[in-house]
């Protein structure tokens, strides 16, 4: 009798699980922090001369009291020069390394996405009132963790671009509209 009951229960369980999709996908709390990124059209790579703080400390600061007991001002200057310490230094622009190393503009990863792996993320739509959405779509890529990437050198016109993403996992798929904003300046 127990065997018949177990067989009936097994058949019921198998029949009741027929329409349940595999895995799960939860994106109700999904979002980016921060939810926008500024991408520059023209990189600031210019170098400018600025006062050297080490020179200021050793030549004009607290060290000069000690140094001037043993050296003249000119001897101390020559000694600092021999140690490659000069009055000014060359300060590179904020985008110097990005340009030199071709570092792309990258957003943070999306947060709040849970589900059965693999979760495939694709860009479904780019909307812009003051830019060229097609040009942005040509350059924009998304990684598997939702990070959006724009190349360092691009020809995307200035504007605000709203990005929509599509998430697909085993048995489920969802779309998030206007989840991220890219500002090209």
């Amino acid at each position: 009798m127990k065997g018949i009951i177990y067989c009936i229960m097994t058949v019921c369980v198998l029949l009741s699980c027929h329409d349940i999709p595999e895995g799960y996908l939860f994106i109700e709390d999904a979002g980016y922090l921060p939810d926008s990124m500024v991408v520059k059209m023209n990189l600031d790579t210019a170098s400018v001369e600025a006062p050297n703080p080490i020179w200021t400390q050793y030549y004009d600061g607290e060290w000069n009291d000690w140094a001037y007991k043993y050296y003249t001002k000119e001897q101390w200057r020559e000694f600092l020069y021999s140690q490659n310490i000069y009055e000014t230094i060359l300060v590179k622009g904020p985008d110097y390394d990005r340009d030199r190393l071709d570092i792309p503009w990258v957003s943070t990863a999306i947060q709040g996405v849970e589900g059965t792996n693999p979760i495939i993320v694709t860009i479904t739509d780019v909307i812009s009132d003051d830019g060229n959405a097609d040009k942005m779509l040509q350059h924009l890529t998304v990684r598997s963790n939702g990070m959006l990437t724009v190349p360092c050198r691009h020809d995307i016109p200035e504007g605000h671009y709203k990005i929509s993403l599509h998430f697909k996992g085993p048995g489920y798929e969802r779309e998030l509209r206007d989840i991220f904003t890219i500002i090209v300046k």
Side-chain angles (χ1 to χ4, degrees):
M1 187 67 170
K2 281 185 180 180
I4 295 173
I5 293 173
Y6 285 135
C7 287
I8 292 172
M9 287 176 51
T10 304
V11 169
C12 289
V13 168
L14 290 174
L15 291 176
S16 66
C17 294
H18 186 279
D19 292 335
I20 297 175
E22 173 188 345
Y24 73 101
L25 181 62
F26 180 75
I27 64 167
E28 281 72 25
D29 295 331
Y32 286 90
L33 190 64
D35 65 349
S36 63
M37 172 175 66
V38 175
V39 174
K40 293 181 182 177
M41 287 181 60
N42 301 314
L43 300 177
D44 182 7
T45 59
S47 300
V48 295
E49 281 193 14
N52 186 350
I54 297 173
W55 176 269
T56 304
Q57 177 185 0
Y58 285 121
Y59 191 74
D60 297 328
E62 60 190 54
W63 281 87
N64 63 4
D65 294 336
W66 173 85
Y68 295 152
K69 289 180 185 175
Y70 305 103
Y71 301 102
T72 66
K73 205 166 191 170
E74 188 57 39
Q75 288 173 328
W76 187 240
R77 177 189 308 264
E78 291 302 318
F79 174 75
L80 292 175
Y81 285 165
S82 71
Q83 301 301 311
N84 293 322
I85 301 173
Y86 299 99
E87 293 96 337
T88 60
I89 57 175
L90 199 58
V91 178
K92 295 175 175 64
D95 300 323
Y96 177 80
D97 287 329
R98 180 177 302 278
D99 183 51
R100 181 175 64 89
L101 300 172
D102 197 27
I103 299 171
W105 303 93
V106 180
S107 74
T108 58
I110 194 163
Q111 301 170 8
V113 174
E114 297 178 19
T116 306
N117 286 329
I119 298 173
I120 299 167
V121 184
T122 55
I123 301 167
T124 56
D125 196 17
V126 176
I127 299 170
S128 177
D129 294 334
D130 54 353
N132 185 340
D134 292 333
K135 190 63 87 168
M136 173 61 82
L137 205 50
Q138 288 175 1
H139 293 285
L140 184 65
T141 58
V142 64
R143 298 179 183 176
S144 61
N145 60 358
M147 287 178 141
L148 296 163
T149 306
V150 177
C152 175
R153 294 175 192 85
H154 58 82
D155 59 349
I156 303 168
E158 288 185 3
H160 291 68
Y161 299 88
K162 298 268 187 190
I163 313 300
S164 298
L165 298 176
H166 182 261
F167 296 85
K168 183 177 181 183
Y172 293 93
E173 53 186 284
R174 303 257 169 76
E175 186 171 337
L176 291 174
R177 304 282 310 153
D178 303 334
I179 188 79
F180 194 78
T181 303
I182 296 177
I183 303 162
V184 179
K185 290 185 178 183

